[in-house]
Short mmCIF file of all heavy atoms in Angstrom, two decimals:
data_model
loop_
_atom_site.label_atom_id
_atom_site.label_comp_id
_atom_site.label_asym_id
_atom_site.label_seq_id
_atom_site.Cartn_x
_atom_site.Cartn_y
_atom_site.Cartn_z
N LEU A 92 101.14 128.66 71.92
CA LEU A 92 101.17 127.57 70.94
C LEU A 92 100.11 127.78 69.84
O LEU A 92 100.33 127.45 68.67
CB LEU A 92 100.93 126.25 71.61
CG LEU A 92 102.14 125.65 72.35
CD1 LEU A 92 101.75 124.44 73.17
CD2 LEU A 92 103.23 125.30 71.37
N LEU A 93 99.00 128.34 70.25
CA LEU A 93 97.92 128.58 69.28
C LEU A 93 98.39 129.50 68.15
O LEU A 93 97.99 129.34 67.01
CB LEU A 93 96.74 129.19 70.03
CG LEU A 93 95.36 129.04 69.38
CD1 LEU A 93 95.14 127.58 68.95
CD2 LEU A 93 94.27 129.47 70.35
N GLU A 94 99.27 130.43 68.50
CA GLU A 94 99.77 131.34 67.49
C GLU A 94 100.90 130.74 66.66
O GLU A 94 101.00 130.95 65.45
CB GLU A 94 100.26 132.64 68.13
CG GLU A 94 99.11 133.42 68.80
CD GLU A 94 99.49 134.88 68.97
OE1 GLU A 94 100.48 135.33 68.34
OE2 GLU A 94 98.83 135.57 69.76
N SER A 95 101.75 129.99 67.34
CA SER A 95 102.98 129.52 66.66
C SER A 95 102.76 128.25 65.85
O SER A 95 103.61 127.90 65.05
CB SER A 95 104.09 129.32 67.66
OG SER A 95 103.81 128.24 68.54
N SER A 96 101.68 127.53 66.10
CA SER A 96 101.52 126.27 65.45
C SER A 96 100.79 126.38 64.10
O SER A 96 100.07 127.38 63.88
CB SER A 96 100.74 125.29 66.35
OG SER A 96 101.47 125.04 67.52
N ALA A 97 100.93 125.34 63.30
CA ALA A 97 100.36 125.37 61.96
C ALA A 97 98.81 125.41 62.04
O ALA A 97 98.17 126.20 61.34
CB ALA A 97 100.78 124.14 61.16
N THR A 98 98.25 124.59 62.86
CA THR A 98 96.79 124.55 62.97
C THR A 98 96.42 124.43 64.48
O THR A 98 97.24 124.02 65.29
CB THR A 98 96.20 123.33 62.28
OG1 THR A 98 96.44 122.15 63.05
CG2 THR A 98 96.80 123.13 60.88
N PRO A 99 95.19 124.76 64.82
CA PRO A 99 94.75 124.63 66.18
C PRO A 99 94.92 123.17 66.73
O PRO A 99 95.29 123.00 67.86
CB PRO A 99 93.26 124.99 66.12
CG PRO A 99 93.20 125.94 64.97
CD PRO A 99 94.19 125.43 63.99
N HIS A 100 94.64 122.21 65.87
CA HIS A 100 94.78 120.83 66.32
C HIS A 100 96.21 120.51 66.67
O HIS A 100 96.50 119.82 67.65
CB HIS A 100 94.27 119.86 65.24
CG HIS A 100 94.32 118.43 65.66
ND1 HIS A 100 95.37 117.61 65.31
CD2 HIS A 100 93.48 117.68 66.42
CE1 HIS A 100 95.14 116.38 65.84
NE2 HIS A 100 94.02 116.43 66.53
N ALA A 101 97.14 121.02 65.87
CA ALA A 101 98.56 120.81 66.17
C ALA A 101 98.93 121.50 67.48
O ALA A 101 99.67 120.93 68.32
CB ALA A 101 99.42 121.37 65.04
N ALA A 102 98.40 122.69 67.72
CA ALA A 102 98.66 123.38 68.98
C ALA A 102 98.14 122.59 70.16
O ALA A 102 98.81 122.41 71.17
CB ALA A 102 97.98 124.75 68.94
N LEU A 103 96.93 122.06 69.98
CA LEU A 103 96.34 121.23 71.04
C LEU A 103 97.24 120.03 71.34
O LEU A 103 97.52 119.73 72.50
CB LEU A 103 94.96 120.79 70.60
CG LEU A 103 94.22 119.89 71.60
CD1 LEU A 103 93.95 120.61 72.93
CD2 LEU A 103 92.90 119.34 71.00
N ARG A 104 97.68 119.39 70.29
CA ARG A 104 98.54 118.21 70.44
C ARG A 104 99.81 118.56 71.23
O ARG A 104 100.21 117.87 72.13
CB ARG A 104 98.88 117.62 69.09
CG ARG A 104 99.73 116.35 69.15
CD ARG A 104 100.11 115.86 67.75
NE ARG A 104 98.95 115.44 66.96
CZ ARG A 104 98.43 114.23 67.02
NH1 ARG A 104 98.91 113.33 67.85
NH2 ARG A 104 97.40 113.94 66.25
N GLU A 105 100.41 119.67 70.85
CA GLU A 105 101.67 120.06 71.48
C GLU A 105 101.44 120.44 72.95
O GLU A 105 102.20 120.09 73.84
CB GLU A 105 102.35 121.19 70.75
CG GLU A 105 103.01 120.73 69.48
CD GLU A 105 103.75 121.88 68.81
OE1 GLU A 105 104.57 122.53 69.49
OE2 GLU A 105 103.50 122.16 67.62
N TRP A 106 100.36 121.17 73.16
CA TRP A 106 100.08 121.60 74.54
C TRP A 106 99.83 120.42 75.43
O TRP A 106 100.34 120.33 76.57
CB TRP A 106 98.85 122.53 74.55
CG TRP A 106 98.58 123.07 75.91
CD1 TRP A 106 99.30 124.04 76.57
CD2 TRP A 106 97.55 122.66 76.80
NE1 TRP A 106 98.75 124.25 77.80
CE2 TRP A 106 97.67 123.44 77.98
CE3 TRP A 106 96.50 121.72 76.73
CZ2 TRP A 106 96.82 123.27 79.08
CZ3 TRP A 106 95.65 121.57 77.81
CH2 TRP A 106 95.80 122.34 78.96
N ILE A 107 99.05 119.47 74.97
CA ILE A 107 98.83 118.27 75.74
C ILE A 107 100.14 117.52 75.99
O ILE A 107 100.34 116.94 77.07
CB ILE A 107 97.77 117.39 75.05
CG1 ILE A 107 96.38 118.03 75.25
CG2 ILE A 107 97.77 115.97 75.60
CD1 ILE A 107 95.26 117.26 74.61
N GLY A 108 101.02 117.59 74.99
CA GLY A 108 102.32 116.96 75.18
C GLY A 108 103.07 117.59 76.36
O GLY A 108 103.67 116.90 77.18
N LEU A 109 102.97 118.91 76.50
CA LEU A 109 103.61 119.60 77.61
C LEU A 109 103.01 119.09 78.94
O LEU A 109 103.74 118.80 79.88
CB LEU A 109 103.36 121.12 77.51
CG LEU A 109 104.13 121.87 76.44
CD1 LEU A 109 103.76 123.36 76.51
CD2 LEU A 109 105.62 121.68 76.60
N PHE A 110 101.71 119.03 78.95
CA PHE A 110 101.01 118.58 80.16
C PHE A 110 101.47 117.18 80.55
O PHE A 110 101.74 116.90 81.71
CB PHE A 110 99.49 118.67 79.92
CG PHE A 110 98.68 118.25 81.11
CD1 PHE A 110 98.87 118.84 82.36
CD2 PHE A 110 97.68 117.29 80.98
CE1 PHE A 110 98.10 118.47 83.46
CE2 PHE A 110 96.93 116.92 82.07
CZ PHE A 110 97.12 117.52 83.30
N VAL A 111 101.51 116.31 79.57
CA VAL A 111 101.90 114.93 79.83
C VAL A 111 103.34 114.91 80.37
O VAL A 111 103.63 114.19 81.34
CB VAL A 111 101.79 114.07 78.55
CG1 VAL A 111 102.41 112.70 78.78
CG2 VAL A 111 100.33 113.91 78.16
N ASP A 112 104.23 115.63 79.73
CA ASP A 112 105.63 115.68 80.19
C ASP A 112 105.71 116.10 81.64
O ASP A 112 106.47 115.57 82.43
CB ASP A 112 106.44 116.61 79.33
CG ASP A 112 106.81 115.98 78.00
OD1 ASP A 112 106.73 114.76 77.90
OD2 ASP A 112 107.17 116.72 77.04
N PHE A 113 104.91 117.10 81.97
CA PHE A 113 104.86 117.55 83.36
C PHE A 113 104.41 116.44 84.28
O PHE A 113 105.05 116.15 85.31
CB PHE A 113 103.93 118.76 83.47
CG PHE A 113 103.58 119.13 84.88
CD1 PHE A 113 104.56 119.59 85.75
CD2 PHE A 113 102.28 119.00 85.32
CE1 PHE A 113 104.23 119.93 87.06
CE2 PHE A 113 101.94 119.32 86.63
CZ PHE A 113 102.91 119.79 87.47
N LEU A 114 103.32 115.81 83.93
CA LEU A 114 102.75 114.80 84.83
C LEU A 114 103.63 113.59 85.05
O LEU A 114 103.80 113.12 86.18
CB LEU A 114 101.39 114.32 84.26
CG LEU A 114 100.17 115.18 84.58
CD1 LEU A 114 98.91 114.46 84.13
CD2 LEU A 114 100.08 115.49 86.09
N VAL A 115 104.17 113.07 83.95
CA VAL A 115 104.88 111.78 84.09
C VAL A 115 106.22 111.94 84.82
O VAL A 115 106.81 110.94 85.22
CB VAL A 115 105.13 111.12 82.72
CG1 VAL A 115 103.81 110.81 82.06
CG2 VAL A 115 106.00 111.98 81.86
N THR A 116 106.66 113.16 84.98
CA THR A 116 107.93 113.33 85.70
C THR A 116 107.72 113.53 87.19
O THR A 116 108.72 113.68 87.92
CB THR A 116 108.74 114.52 85.13
OG1 THR A 116 107.91 115.67 85.17
CG2 THR A 116 109.17 114.25 83.72
N LYS A 117 106.49 113.53 87.64
CA LYS A 117 106.20 113.69 89.08
C LYS A 117 105.61 112.40 89.60
O LYS A 117 104.44 112.08 89.33
CB LYS A 117 105.18 114.83 89.28
CG LYS A 117 105.44 116.07 88.46
CD LYS A 117 106.64 116.83 88.97
CE LYS A 117 106.98 118.02 88.03
NZ LYS A 117 108.01 117.71 87.02
N HIS A 118 106.42 111.68 90.35
CA HIS A 118 105.96 110.41 90.86
C HIS A 118 104.58 110.45 91.49
O HIS A 118 104.38 111.11 92.51
CB HIS A 118 106.91 109.87 91.94
CG HIS A 118 108.23 109.47 91.42
ND1 HIS A 118 109.13 108.80 92.19
CD2 HIS A 118 108.80 109.60 90.20
CE1 HIS A 118 110.22 108.58 91.45
NE2 HIS A 118 110.05 109.06 90.25
N GLY A 119 103.67 109.76 90.91
CA GLY A 119 102.35 109.57 91.54
C GLY A 119 101.44 110.77 91.48
O GLY A 119 100.33 110.73 91.99
N LEU A 120 101.84 111.87 90.84
CA LEU A 120 101.00 113.03 90.80
C LEU A 120 99.69 112.72 90.07
O LEU A 120 98.62 113.05 90.53
CB LEU A 120 101.70 114.21 90.10
CG LEU A 120 101.47 115.62 90.56
CD1 LEU A 120 101.69 116.64 89.48
CD2 LEU A 120 100.09 115.80 91.18
N ALA A 121 99.82 112.07 88.93
CA ALA A 121 98.62 111.77 88.14
C ALA A 121 97.67 110.91 88.96
O ALA A 121 96.46 111.10 88.90
CB ALA A 121 99.03 111.06 86.87
N GLY A 122 98.21 110.01 89.71
CA GLY A 122 97.38 109.11 90.45
C GLY A 122 96.57 109.81 91.52
O GLY A 122 95.50 109.33 91.93
N VAL A 123 97.10 110.91 92.00
CA VAL A 123 96.48 111.60 93.11
C VAL A 123 95.56 112.74 92.61
O VAL A 123 94.85 113.36 93.37
CB VAL A 123 97.58 112.10 94.05
CG1 VAL A 123 97.81 113.60 93.93
CG2 VAL A 123 97.27 111.73 95.47
N LEU A 124 95.59 112.92 91.29
CA LEU A 124 94.84 114.01 90.68
C LEU A 124 93.37 113.61 90.55
O LEU A 124 92.53 114.43 90.22
CB LEU A 124 95.41 114.32 89.30
CG LEU A 124 95.35 115.72 88.81
CD1 LEU A 124 95.83 116.70 89.89
CD2 LEU A 124 96.17 115.89 87.56
N GLN A 125 93.06 112.35 90.80
CA GLN A 125 91.70 111.89 90.67
C GLN A 125 90.87 112.34 91.84
O GLN A 125 91.35 112.25 93.00
CB GLN A 125 91.64 110.37 90.55
CG GLN A 125 91.66 109.88 89.12
CD GLN A 125 92.82 110.48 88.34
OE1 GLN A 125 93.92 110.50 88.84
NE2 GLN A 125 92.58 110.96 87.14
N SER A 126 89.67 112.73 91.60
CA SER A 126 88.86 113.30 92.65
C SER A 126 88.36 112.27 93.64
O SER A 126 87.94 112.60 94.73
CB SER A 126 87.68 114.05 92.06
OG SER A 126 86.83 113.14 91.44
N ASP A 127 88.43 110.99 93.25
CA ASP A 127 87.88 110.00 94.18
C ASP A 127 88.76 109.85 95.41
O ASP A 127 88.31 109.34 96.40
CB ASP A 127 87.71 108.65 93.45
CG ASP A 127 89.00 108.15 92.89
OD1 ASP A 127 89.81 109.00 92.43
OD2 ASP A 127 89.24 106.95 92.90
N ASN A 128 90.03 110.33 95.34
CA ASN A 128 90.82 110.31 96.53
C ASN A 128 90.35 111.46 97.44
O ASN A 128 90.60 112.61 97.18
CB ASN A 128 92.31 110.57 96.17
CG ASN A 128 92.94 109.34 95.58
OD1 ASN A 128 92.81 108.27 96.09
ND2 ASN A 128 93.63 109.52 94.45
N ALA A 129 89.70 111.07 98.52
CA ALA A 129 89.15 112.08 99.42
C ALA A 129 90.26 112.98 99.95
O ALA A 129 91.36 112.56 100.23
CB ALA A 129 88.44 111.42 100.60
N GLY A 130 89.95 114.27 100.05
CA GLY A 130 90.91 115.21 100.63
C GLY A 130 91.77 115.88 99.56
O GLY A 130 92.57 116.76 99.91
N PHE A 131 91.56 115.53 98.31
CA PHE A 131 92.34 116.15 97.28
C PHE A 131 91.52 117.01 96.35
O PHE A 131 91.95 117.34 95.25
CB PHE A 131 93.11 115.08 96.49
CG PHE A 131 94.26 114.48 97.22
CD1 PHE A 131 94.08 113.37 98.02
CD2 PHE A 131 95.51 115.06 97.17
CE1 PHE A 131 95.15 112.81 98.72
CE2 PHE A 131 96.58 114.51 97.87
CZ PHE A 131 96.41 113.39 98.65
N GLU A 132 90.35 117.37 96.79
CA GLU A 132 89.50 118.21 95.97
C GLU A 132 90.21 119.49 95.63
O GLU A 132 90.12 120.04 94.54
CB GLU A 132 88.18 118.52 96.69
CG GLU A 132 87.41 117.30 97.17
CD GLU A 132 87.93 116.78 98.48
OE1 GLU A 132 88.71 117.50 99.13
OE2 GLU A 132 87.61 115.62 98.81
N THR A 133 90.97 120.03 96.60
CA THR A 133 91.71 121.29 96.38
C THR A 133 92.62 121.15 95.19
O THR A 133 92.67 121.99 94.31
CB THR A 133 92.52 121.64 97.62
OG1 THR A 133 91.70 121.63 98.74
CG2 THR A 133 93.15 122.99 97.44
N LEU A 134 93.40 120.05 95.17
CA LEU A 134 94.35 119.79 94.12
C LEU A 134 93.63 119.67 92.78
O LEU A 134 93.97 120.35 91.80
CB LEU A 134 95.09 118.52 94.45
CG LEU A 134 96.21 118.06 93.49
CD1 LEU A 134 97.34 119.11 93.51
CD2 LEU A 134 96.73 116.73 93.85
N HIS A 135 92.64 118.82 92.78
CA HIS A 135 91.79 118.62 91.61
C HIS A 135 91.30 119.96 91.10
O HIS A 135 91.44 120.29 89.92
CB HIS A 135 90.64 117.73 92.00
CG HIS A 135 89.94 117.07 90.88
ND1 HIS A 135 90.52 116.06 90.13
CD2 HIS A 135 88.73 117.26 90.35
CE1 HIS A 135 89.69 115.67 89.20
NE2 HIS A 135 88.57 116.38 89.31
#
Side-chain angles (χ1 to χ4, degrees):
Chain A
L92 282 172
L93 202 48
E94 294 201 16
S95 68
S96 297
T98 75
H100 183 263
L103 179 63
R104 182 183 296 275
E105 284 184 53
W106 183 75
I107 286 180
L109 288 181
F110 181 53
V111 171
D112 283 340
F113 167 66
L114 276 188
V115 298
T116 55
K117 317 287 174 265
H118 290 190
L120 215 206
V123 105
L124 212 49
Q125 267 53 45
S126 65
D127 58 324
N128 286 311
F131 287 91
E132 305 82 14
T133 308
L134 184 64
H135 199 70

